[in-house]
Amino acid sequence: MRVVVSGAAGFIGSHFCDRLLAEGHEVIALDNFLTGSERNLSHLDGDGRFRFVWQDITVPFQVAGDVDTVVNLASPASPKDYMEHPIETLDVGSAGTRNMLELALEKGASFLLSSTSECYGDPLVHPQAETYWGNVNPVGPRSCYDESKRFAEALTMAYHRRHDVRTNIARIFNTYGPRMKLDDGRVVPAFLDQALRGEPLTVFGDGSQTRSFCYVSDLVDGLYRLMQSEERLPVNLGNPLEMTILQFAEHIRERTGSSSEVRYHPLPEDDPRQRKPDISRARRILGWEPQISLDEGLRYTIAYFQGLMKKSPESLSEVKPSGPGRK
Ligand code: NAD
Ligand code: UDP
């Protein structure tokens, strides 16, 4: 297959390109490096089945030749990133998604959208199944991301209903692994960075809010299966193992052997109280569930961050610890 992937230089996008190439497909990778990095794709230099094109997908563009599948992964994803780039985030979810859907329509290709558990907002139903419509503040600080993804889902369904485009929608829950940016403010890189440097772990609020963390290879496997399925409605992809942020901090301390203390900071506005995917639909339709335990996933991720720190300790001193200032 010939697959166009937007957001290819990002954390998930780069792993997804690796998977497509490993499966024998040809990849045309698009990115404008808003939050991604060339480094994430440098290992693919010289691979004849891989081509990178610098492209802002909010601007209409052409791709020469046949395309079998269009995969739209472009969007800032960490709260720090999307709050720093609220307009770009709304643009990429709306105009960017529209341009990617137009490409799929023009080429007769299928289309995969990476949506998010943020569509559920601060959920009043627990765990979250795809049938839950969510509890989103449309004007809060996270709305630029949440509403852009909800719009992107609506647009995707409209192209399916109006133009018969074969679409898939993945609602991705918190995912972690190598190639996350150390300074992107998300809890996994933030705690690992702090623990490895022996600095206090910045727990927001009292740490009783919950999240569920999925290792990136599991997520990519779910996306790959979904891309080949006939399911048009959203499918949750995430790890249902739920824990409080305080429990997670303790876990990080144990796994890194760090004696970092926990330091409490104010809870950011609209921070969801609880998050746990109901993955019954993914189990039933895709035969998918996560395979990598939290311990194993953290082992790979810690090794990656330790490698980065060895390579460029000076760049790490420039990395500011994430805290409530991320707002
Ligand atoms: P990321 O920031 O690492 O990657 C996003 C990529 O999109 C970056 O390389 C960025 O430069 C690119 N991009 C942004 N705007 C663009 C534009 N206008 N044109 C071209 N490229 C553009 O984030 P990620 O964690 O890899 O997330 C990838 C996708 O998965 C996003 O759509 C995100 O919403 C979704 N998602 C991720 C998570 C997670 O936990 N990582 C959870 C839910 C949903
Ligand atoms: N969090 C924290 N300390 C940090 C970063 C995040 O306590 O340094 C909390 C954050 O308030 C949220 C959870 O960890 O409750 C997950 O945050 P993240 O930004 O990783 O993802 P979210 O699920 O909020 O999009």
Side-chain angles (χ1 to χ4, degrees):
M1 283 202 298
R2 198 155 181 260
V3 187
V4 173
V5 180
S6 70
F11 159 53
I12 294 175
S14 61
H15 286 282
F16 196 64
C17 289
D18 287 347
R19 175 67 186 265
L20 290 170
L21 292 165
E23 298 285 345
H25 305 300
E26 190 184 335
V27 175
I28 300 162
L30 313 178
D31 208 291
N32 68 349
F33 300 134
L34 179 65
T35 54
S37 161
E38 259 172 303
R39 262 197 324 275
N40 289 337
L41 298 173
S42 56
H43 60 289
L44 300 177
D45 281 352
D47 187 324
R49 288 168 305 132
F50 179 79
R51 188 159 69 89
F52 178 80
V53 180
W54 188 99
Q55 180 66 54
D56 177 350
I57 64 157
T58 65
V59 177
F61 59 92
Q62 302 286 317
V63 172
D66 293 340
V67 174
D68 302 292
T69 302
V70 171
V71 179
N72 188 24
L73 299 176
S75 172
S78 91
K80 178 174 166 243
D81 282 343
Y82 60 72
M83 288 182 212
E84 265 170 31
H85 302 288
I87 316 278
E88 290 89 340
T89 302
L90 284 155
D91 276 351
V92 77
S94 52
T97 301
R98 175 128 195 221
N99 288 330
M100 294 295 280
L101 279 160
E102 280 292 322
L103 178 68
L105 178 61
E106 176 206 332
K107 303 287 184 183
S110 61
F111 175 88
L112 170 68
L113 173 70
S114 63
S115 183
T116 169
S117 55
E118 288 288 322
C119 289
Y120 302 120
D122 190 6
L124 305 177
V125 167
H126 197 70
Q128 294 78 54
E130 294 86 346
T131 45
Y132 176 49
W133 291 351
N135 177 40
V136 173
N137 176 353
V139 292
R142 297 172 84 104
S143 63
C144 57
Y145 184 63
D146 302 7
E147 297 296 7
S148 111
K149 291 292 187 179
R150 287 167 68 99
F151 179 87
E153 288 197 5
L155 193 62
T156 300
M157 292 308 295
Y159 268 73
H160 171 61
R161 294 192 175 110
R162 181 74 181 80
H163 294 303
D164 233 1
V165 177
R166 291 166 290 128
T167 55
N168 305 111
I169 299 174
R171 284 199 186 138
I172 303 172
F173 284 65
N174 297 61
T175 299
Y176 71 99
R179 300 188 197 148
M180 290 186 99
K181 290 183 292 178
L182 261 178
D183 62 345
D184 85 356
R186 284 184 272 196
V187 71
V188 177
F191 282 2
L192 284 179
D193 182 35
Q194 292 157 355
L196 291 172
R197 289 193 288 144
E199 296 198 345
L201 303 190
T202 53
V203 169
F204 298 163
D206 62 4
S208 64
Q209 70 272 33
T210 68
R211 292 295 186 275
S212 314
F213 300 100
C214 185
Y215 187 66
V216 64
S217 63
D218 280 331
L219 188 268
V220 160
D221 186 51
L223 290 176
Y224 188 68
R225 288 173 191 236
L226 181 59
M227 182 184 103
Q228 298 166 89
S229 87
E230 306 280 306
E231 180 59 45
R232 307 296 166 223
L233 291 171
V235 177
N236 287 340
L237 294 176
N239 193 317
L241 177 70
E242 180 189 17
M243 67 194 65
T244 67
I245 291 302
L246 206 50
Q247 285 168 336
F248 186 60
E250 194 45 52
H251 216 76
I252 294 283
R253 284 205 304 196
E254 277 168 22
R255 298 272 67 82
T256 54
S258 167
S259 53
S260 290
E261 55 168 319
V262 163
R263 196 164 288 169
Y264 293 93
H265 293 261
L267 188 69
E269 195 181 337
D270 288 345
D271 198 281
R273 291 288 317 151
Q274 49 184 2
R275 273 289 163 68
K276 171 182 169 155
D278 177 335
I279 60 165
S280 316
R281 187 177 284 179
R283 278 198 180 103
R284 193 177 68 251
I285 292 170
L286 311 176
W288 176 87
E289 62 182 358
Q291 303 296 318
I292 306 284
S293 69
L294 186 62
D295 277 356
E296 191 180 354
L298 283 179
R299 211 164 52 238
Y300 302 142
T301 312
I302 290 167
Y304 171 78
F305 284 143
Q306 281 173 328
L308 276 190
M309 290 179 165
K310 267 190 211 130
K311 255 190 235 159
S312 57
E314 69 286 353
S315 71
L316 283 169
S317 60
E318 291 162 17
V319 173
K320 294 177 197 70
S322 34
R326 69 187 188 141
K327 297 237 129 193

